[in-house]
Amino acid sequence: MTTSLSLSSLPDLGDEVARPAYARGALSPGIVHIGVGNFHRAHQIVYLDRLFNKGIDHDWAVIGAGVRPGDAAMRERLARQDWLSSVIELDPGGLTARVTGAMVDFAEVDPDALIATLKRPEIRIVSLTITEGGYYVDATTGGFDANHPDMVADAGQPDRPQSVFGILIAALRARHAVGAAPFTVMSCDNLPENGHVTRATMLGLARLIDADLAQWIGANVAFPNSMVDCITPATSDRERQLLRERFRLDDTAPVVCEPFRQWVMEDDFPAGRPRLEEVGVEFVSDVAAHELMKLRILNGGHAAIAYPGALLGHHFVHDAMSDPDVAAFLRHLTRREVIPTLAPIPGVDFDAYFQVVEERFANPEVGDTVPRLCLDGSNRQPKFILPTLRDRLRAGASIDGLALEVALWCRYCAGTGEAGEAIEIVDERRDELRGRATAARDRPEAFLEMASVFGDLAADPLFSAAFAEALAAIWRGGVREALAAYAGARVSG
């Protein structure tokens, strides 16, 4: 017999399920989080839950929020269980489960309702997980994309905003009008200098609306950079069944994640913040070096194994890591071309960090999938791979492995695996990617001419030549032969 998750059923949970040590009624909100997905509930919510369990900072609970149809579906699921979430940590040494209670409400998924929530003076932090592609960055300039239809629409009707940033600006304008202090805007997305990117988008849109308001936001609103890390697979029937069978608990939206978590933040919170250092969060004056390490080694590493893994027919990430050709490619690429682009961090051994990353990728309990890693490549490649490639080009260093990674993505976008099976490409530019990837078999530059992804890289003769050579090698001899030729390893299988 299983127990359905709710506040009233918490006493009925088995001893194997940890639950809040605090009374939910003692919490009050201080944070609005926009984009309540699995990662937020596996990461930020768990840190806050641990803090509240210490009897500390109970005025920093979370109100969930969102602007997309998927957010409304999540709100409906969580409402049925009093905003509680169950989190299963997939440790090879033994699974553990906990119920978190740090979220106390979820705003109606409606711009006016969210603005009303953001106007509340007790809201001192607004945090974001809106995906890497949700920040309206121009791929060519790296700055704010003022011509994006969403930004044009919100600039034209600032009193009826639809985007996250238009909503934040409307709320800040309302707070400023009554003399209320602004909230801090804290991105928790995997973006280089995510706070700076958030600030640039906010100010870019605000300038289109009201130059004086933009100046006030620039002078008074903090946008701390942060680095977040916890591998969190999508929830499927597999995870729901695991929760029911192993822990006798029914949850409409359970979260599974690895046991590893990391959160490094710049300590820039004028309106105050919870004492998260008490539960392992590291506060630093400049997070850039830590962030770059994670983005290039972990997120870039995910991209490096995603496309060869998919082309070779692997479904789970741990299976791709068990493939000696994929693992050798990742290892050689990271050590030869990625780590050398990183500035030293006192007390951090990059090779040791990478070894931990390898172990995390290979964890069979996580059940992370290769298709998840392949999602949204047109937004992820410019953030996790292409900056490293640009740094190598500027340094006059070899780019063979990075060019091969881009070529593997191109081959994946052609829509078939090595065995001829169809591949479903999940990307907002899917049709363009497929068309260009198909054309690139005969004319490699067709893929690189996608300026929204590559910017001016197509004009770089060294990259263009290396990409063309790598793509030709993949089509000619197959993925394994191309991987092995780079890694200097034998071709297996």
Side-chain angles (χ1 to χ4, degrees), residues 268-283:
D268 183 15
F269 293 84
R273 63 166 176 82
R275 286 169 282 179
L276 289 164
E277 63 272 24
E278 296 284 341
V279 287
V281 176
E282 184 178 358
F283 287 94

Side-chain angles (χ1 to χ4, degrees), residues 78-355:
L78 293 178
R80 293 200 294 266
Q81 53 198 49
D82 303 317
W83 321 119
L84 299 171
S85 288
S86 57
V87 180
I88 305 173
E89 292 191 356
L90 302 166
D91 190 331
L95 305 186
T96 60
R98 68 187 298 146
V99 171
T100 63
M103 182 180 295
V104 295
D105 199 358
F106 200 125
E108 292 284 349
V109 181
D110 169 80
D112 290 339
L114 180 48
I115 291 169
T117 301
L118 294 170
K119 286 163 57 177
R120 292 164 55 175
E122 68 267 27
I123 301 304
R124 289 151 285 165
I125 294 174
V126 177
S127 54
L128 309 173
T129 47
I130 54 175
T131 79
E132 297 86 359
Y135 286 81
Y136 304 100
V137 176
D138 187 307
T140 302
T141 67
F144 171 60
D145 184 1
N147 295 317
H148 192 285
D150 292 354
M151 298 296 93
V152 173
D154 277 3
Q157 49 178 24
D159 294 328
R160 292 184 294 157
Q162 299 298 310
S163 76
V164 168
F165 296 101
I167 289 167
L168 291 177
I169 289 168
L172 285 167
R173 182 176 57 198
R175 291 174 73 126
H176 180 44
V178 298
F183 43 71
T184 295
V185 182
M186 179 179 71
S187 171
C188 295
D189 279 302
N190 285 315
L191 288 167
E193 300 185 320
N194 54 12
H196 295 335
V197 172
T198 306
R199 185 179 193 273
T201 301
M202 286 282 288
L203 294 183
L205 179 56
R207 290 187 187 108
L208 298 176
I209 296 170
D210 182 335
D212 291 338
L213 177 63
Q215 185 175 14
W216 179 80
I217 290 173
N220 293 279
V221 179
F223 300 88
N225 291 305
S226 67
M227 185 268 269
V228 298
D229 194 5
C230 180
I231 295 174
T232 309
T235 299
S236 68
D237 289 340
R238 170 184 179 267
E239 286 74 36
R240 295 183 186 92
Q241 188 69 16
L242 174 65
L243 187 64
R244 285 192 292 267
E245 292 181 354
R246 177 69 174 78
F247 298 102
R248 316 305 299 169
L249 178 60
D250 269 318
D251 183 339
T252 61
V255 180
V256 294
C257 60
E258 65 172 337
F260 179 95
R261 280 181 191 82
Q262 189 175 16
W263 197 358
V264 184
M265 278 193 287
E266 292 172 356
D267 200 355
D268 183 15
F269 293 84
R273 63 166 176 82
R275 286 169 282 179
L276 289 164
E277 63 272 24
E278 296 284 341
V279 287
V281 176
E282 184 178 358
F283 287 94
V284 298
S285 58
D286 185 356
V287 77
H290 292 83
E291 181 181 64
L292 198 63
M293 173 185 72
K294 186 258 181 176
L295 291 169
R296 294 195 174 183
I297 295 178
L298 185 135
N299 296 110
H302 267 156
I305 63 175
Y307 302 110
L311 290 165
L312 292 170
H314 298 301
H315 180 72
F316 289 107
V317 174
H318 62 266
D319 288 333
M321 288 298 292
S322 295
D323 185 317
D325 294 320
V326 176
F329 172 60
L330 172 65
R331 191 171 305 117
H332 286 278
L333 174 64
T334 302
R335 289 176 173 154
R336 288 177 188 168
E337 300 184 28
V338 176
I339 288 176
T341 68
L342 301 174
I345 302 174
V348 175
D349 181 327
F350 291 135
D351 195 65
Y353 176 81
F354 171 61
Q355 289 179 48

Side-chain angles (χ1 to χ4, degrees), residues 405-473:
E405 190 281 338
V406 178
L408 288 162
W409 177 45
C410 177
R411 171 66 184 84
Y412 166 88
C413 290
T416 58
E418 285 279 271
E421 73 279 16
I423 289 176
E424 181 186 4
I425 301 168
V426 182
D427 192 292
E428 63 182 6
R429 298 180 174 92
R430 178 191 61 192
D431 294 340
E432 181 182 9
L433 288 169
R434 190 188 302 274
R436 288 182 176 275
T438 302
R441 185 168 186 176
D442 298 316
R443 194 175 73 86
E445 59 268 28
F447 196 70
L448 302 186
E449 288 169 353
M450 192 163 33
S452 60
V453 174
F454 292 102
D456 59 358
L457 273 173
D460 189 290
L462 292 176
F463 172 54
S464 296
F467 170 79
E469 182 179 347
L471 186 61

